[in-house]
Amino acid sequence: MRTLLVAQRSGAVSELNSRRVDWLWPLILLVALAVTGCAGPSTVPSAQDARPPNPGQIKTLVLAQINAVKSYSPWDFSNTSGGGTTLTEIHTMGLTVQDNGGNQAPRIATKMPSVNDGSISIPADGRMVTTWQIRPDVTWQDGTPFTTEDIAFTFAMYSRPDLSLNSSASRFMERVDVMDQFTARITWKTTYYLALDLNQSAFWMFPKHLLGEGLEESNAALTQRSYFTTDYVHLGPFRVTSWGQGENQVFERHPGYFLGTPKLDRVIIKTIVNPLSIQTELKAGSIDMAAEKTLPTDAYADLRDEWSKSGEGTVLSRQDNWRYIRFQFDPAFARPIELSQDVRLRRGLLLGWDREALRELIFPGFDRSLTNGDTFMQSSDPRAAIVGEPFAPFPYDSNRAAQELAGGGWTRAADGRLLNREGQQVQIEIRATPAEAKDLAVVAEGWRRLGAEVIEYVPPEALNRENAFKSQFPATNATAQGSGDGIFVGFDSRQSAVADSNWIGNNRGHYMNPALDRLIDQLSASLDITEQAHILRQEADLLAADLPALPAYFRLSSTSIRKTVRGPIYEDFPATQGSGNTIARNAHLWDKA
């Protein structure tokens, strides 16, 4: 659970669990982070915690993913589709890691910064300072010691605007000071509620001894270095020995891994673009595990049912991203334009399709509590109870839908067609990827019953990779971008993907709402978990009132593991929270029967 750090005006500092804060204490001044795991262990785990493999036995684990790896870099590991991102910690490590309670815990760091020991402070100017101690036994996979100089160098890399490395964490960092070989101080521009979430996803480490000279190189020269493919060196338990053009990667165990020698000798990650082939190889035993998001949901359901009888393997599932249908608000692209101008029309479309039927179709036999889209908060988030279910008041109701549409000027003619104010039949295009074809069919059928002409469009994969194309859809687009507070980048006015930014930005629907922008900023600066929850509730109420997007469901992320695999992955995967967080945080403990 998240931890709340508080300081009394008398100067005495105490660290309390957020659920136990006595709000009647008038002298309590909240000064620190509502970040998970802030009171991490103060001692460094022994490298003997992981048992070395049997010297006479070569153990190889074969994994499958959908997409090839273009390079080992944060700019190519930001896309969570295809499963590769969640395997990152096989080879790459950050200062922190997500533990099984969903908390940030120390990994390269010896402990999490804390108000108690002064390693978190809030100067009078409103900035924040976090001081990190790192383990003395961490080495890059080539044997070079990892030091705080690497942390400072990483910040310098993130400060280069041409590398597109502007992560949420680095945007709030002002500078990194090296205090000594194992102590670094990060000064933040303001208080930031995720300042302790410095895992490999938020702050991907770069080795100064290998890339230091490249800091002055052009973007093209630096990113084309062989370091990011065939010569990749990082801090994880397995080092790449064959890149295989990103399609057949081979990793050998790193005997100097700071948490102990991995139990496996080798890990092979195969790229198999056809999900049916992955399913076939899983059943045949030629691969031991498929990364999450590699099979369609119905294939996971079939495999789950088959393996539950045969005992040949296990299918694990957890909550992933919140899925929704967003609208186009840029008048240059929006068609029909009135959809972006009248919330009654958007509300009518929400009421006009059966979300419950869609969930039952997409997730047959899966736990409904994990797929309910009436909220964007994951059920394990301690703030979820306060946020509630803002979209619950909009169940499927064709009569209410017709009333809302009529209020916005769309009325049904005698022949059943839904007509706009000019007497023309309403035409709505809805886009999605091939994987969401079922979504399109259910939503389109609901809107057709209202009398609209609905165009279901699944763009070619090449177009779906073009930012400009993805930002110019005319009406609606089915998508998913995170969960909890992570969804708001898709509605932040300052994140709008426009031509001047080369169409880079998470807000591809170009929704503009200054009130929501202010709440986003308040949430980012909030240091109290309860205050965060109430801000999230305000944001949720705003989204429910204005409906820049229509809720669909919570996606499930599933993985398939044969019985040959041993280790903590069976506990780690269900506990993983949020898209992009890895299941390989304990890959050094994986084993094979």
Side-chain angles (χ1 to χ4, degrees), residues 127-128 130 169 172-174 186-190 192 195 198:
R127 293 181 298 173
M128 182 167 63
T130 55
F172 288 91
M173 291 181 182
E174 180 177 293
I186 300 177
T187 301
W188 301 80
K189 299 173 185 177
T190 184
Y192 178 49
L198 295 184

Side-chain angles (χ1 to χ4, degrees), residues 46-61 90 236-239 251-267 564-571 584-593:
S46 168
Q48 299 303 315
D49 289 348
R51 173 178 54 82
N54 186 332
Q57 182 181 9
I58 301 299
K59 295 184 178 181
T60 301
L61 201 68
I90 286 176
F238 296 90
R239 176 178 178 174
F251 300 87
E252 303 288 345
R253 63 185 176 92
H254 172 38
Y257 182 57
F258 57 91
L259 291 181
T261 304
K263 294 183 177 182
L264 294 169
D265 295 275
R266 183 183 297 114
V267 173
T564 50
V565 180
R566 298 286 187 268
I569 189 171
Y570 297 95
E571 295 77 36
R585 53 185 172 269
N586 289 314
H588 63 295
L589 297 176
W590 291 357
D591 206 346
K592 184 173 180 179

Side-chain angles (χ1 to χ4, degrees), residues 374-412:
D374 286 337
T375 179
F376 49 81
M377 301 295 293
Q378 288 197 3
S379 58
S380 58
D381 193 311
R383 303 167 296 180
I386 291 178
V387 176
E389 297 183 350
F391 301 102
F394 305 107
Y396 172 56
D397 188 328
S398 58
N399 291 328
R400 282 184 62 195
Q403 293 171 5
E404 293 285 356
L405 294 173
W410 289 0
T411 55
R412 193 155 189 174

Side-chain angles (χ1 to χ4, degrees), residues 119-257:
S119 53
I120 294 179
S121 62
I122 310 293
D125 59 10
R127 293 181 298 173
M128 182 167 63
V129 178
T130 55
T131 301
W132 293 85
Q133 299 287 333
I134 64 171
R135 300 173 58 120
D137 57 348
V138 180
T139 64
W140 295 95
Q141 291 159 344
D142 62 2
T144 303
F146 175 86
T147 72
T148 51
E149 291 286 349
D150 293 303
I151 300 177
F153 175 71
T154 296
F155 173 68
M157 290 283 281
Y158 271 88
S159 299
R160 286 185 54 164
D162 60 323
L163 288 183
S164 300
L165 286 172
N166 194 21
S167 72
S168 57
S170 66
R171 284 191 294 112
F172 288 91
M173 291 181 182
E174 180 177 293
R175 69 176 188 270
V176 174
D177 296 310
V178 173
M179 312 307 293
D180 59 44
Q181 188 178 7
F182 303 115
T183 309
R185 184 173 63 198
I186 300 177
T187 301
W188 301 80
K189 299 173 185 177
T190 184
T191 51
Y192 178 49
Y193 78 128
L194 296 179
L196 301 190
D197 292 14
L198 295 184
N199 54 37
Q200 88 295 333
S201 176
F203 201 57
W204 186 292
M205 292 295 170
F206 294 96
K208 183 178 181 180
H209 71 288
L210 295 176
L211 296 176
E213 295 180 359
L215 193 60
E216 305 302 324
E217 291 180 345
S218 67
N219 181 327
L222 178 62
T223 56
Q224 292 303 310
R225 281 191 173 212
S226 63
Y227 166 81
F228 295 106
T229 52
T230 56
D231 298 323
Y232 185 66
V233 170
H234 215 268
L235 304 162
F238 296 90
R239 176 178 178 174
V240 61
T241 56
S242 176
W243 176 48
Q245 299 300 313
E247 296 183 352
N248 192 32
Q249 308 164 72
V250 179
F251 300 87
E252 303 288 345
R253 63 185 176 92
H254 172 38
Y257 182 57

Side-chain angles (χ1 to χ4, degrees), residues 326-342 346 410 427-429 431 471-477 503 508-511:
R326 63 181 161 197
F327 291 97
Q328 177 64 261
F329 286 88
D330 190 325
F333 315 122
R335 301 291 183 274
I337 187 67
E338 59 265 34
L339 258 182
S340 64
Q341 298 171 336
D342 196 322
R346 301 194 291 274
W410 289 0
Q427 185 181 85
I428 304 171
E429 179 182 298
R431 292 183 182 178
S471 303
Q472 298 180 38
F473 62 93
T476 62
N477 178 47
W503 303 104
R508 301 192 184 282
H510 313 287
Y511 179 67

